[in-house]
Amino acid sequence: MVALTAISTGELAMPFTGSCHCGAIRYTVDEDPPSKAVMCNCSICRRKAQLHHFTTPDRFTLETPRDAFETYRFNHHAIAHHHCRTCGCSPFAEGKTPQGEAMVEINLRCADEIDADALEISHFDGAKL
């Protein structure tokens, strides 16, 4: 059973969960499942075909030990791209926004019960950064 939590507006949020393929990395995001995603065309996102959702660290709970994943950084080393040591999936990343605030990126292709075909997709031209 998924717990309902109050958010700042006083409304109840239905948290969503996700994992890597083998389940060694599992997380809960304490907000409603998103209806929108960002698709980036940078070298890593294009190859991984990720659909991004961004949240704050206080809404993200890693349910498994951090030693279940390895981390890859490239370019400016601003984002820690995490991938499972066992199955190789990349369910989330951590970093900072362009404004310097901490953020967690959720790969919605690894989120449970999210229909990728139903998401409203916006495109980001990360290849030009």
Side-chain angles (χ1 to χ4, degrees), residues 71-82 93-105 129:
T71 301
Y72 175 70
R73 294 177 183 263
F74 73 105
N75 198 6
H76 298 290
H77 297 257
I79 300 174
H81 299 268
H82 304 307
E94 297 170 292
K96 296 200 181 277
T97 67
Q99 296 76 31
E101 298 172 14
M103 67 85 187
V104 178
E105 176 272 334
L129 294 181

Side-chain angles (χ1 to χ4, degrees), residues 38-76:
V38 175
M39 184 182 297
C40 176
N41 66 354
C42 79
S43 59
I44 194 167
C45 294
R46 182 172 45 85
R47 286 172 173 83
K48 290 184 175 185
Q50 293 182 323
L51 293 175
H52 305 287
H53 170 70
F54 298 94
T55 191
T56 56
D58 62 314
R59 292 184 175 184
F60 177 82
T61 302
L62 182 63
E63 307 289 350
T64 52
R66 286 193 168 263
D67 64 0
F69 58 80
E70 294 181 347
T71 301
Y72 175 70
R73 294 177 183 263
F74 73 105
N75 198 6
H76 298 290

Side-chain angles (χ1 to χ4, degrees), residues 4-5 7 11-16 29-35 53 59 114:
L4 295 175
T5 54
I7 56 176
E11 297 176 24
L12 294 178
M14 178 63 78
F16 67 96
V29 179
D30 195 19
E31 59 188 56
D32 288 330
S35 60
H53 170 70
R59 292 184 175 184
I114 300 279

Side-chain angles (χ1 to χ4, degrees), residues 16-23 25-29 34 37 48-53 60 82-84 87-93 105-116 119:
F16 67 96
T17 59
S19 69
C20 64
H21 185 256
C22 72
I25 302 171
R26 289 185 311 280
Y27 63 81
T28 300
V29 179
K48 290 184 175 185
Q50 293 182 323
L51 293 175
H52 305 287
H53 170 70
F60 177 82
H82 304 307
H83 58 276
C84 178
C87 68
C89 283
S90 301
F92 77 103
E105 176 272 334
I106 305 298
N107 177 2
L108 292 177
R109 293 197 188 273
C110 293
D112 299 327
E113 301 182 27
I114 300 279
D115 180 1
L119 294 169

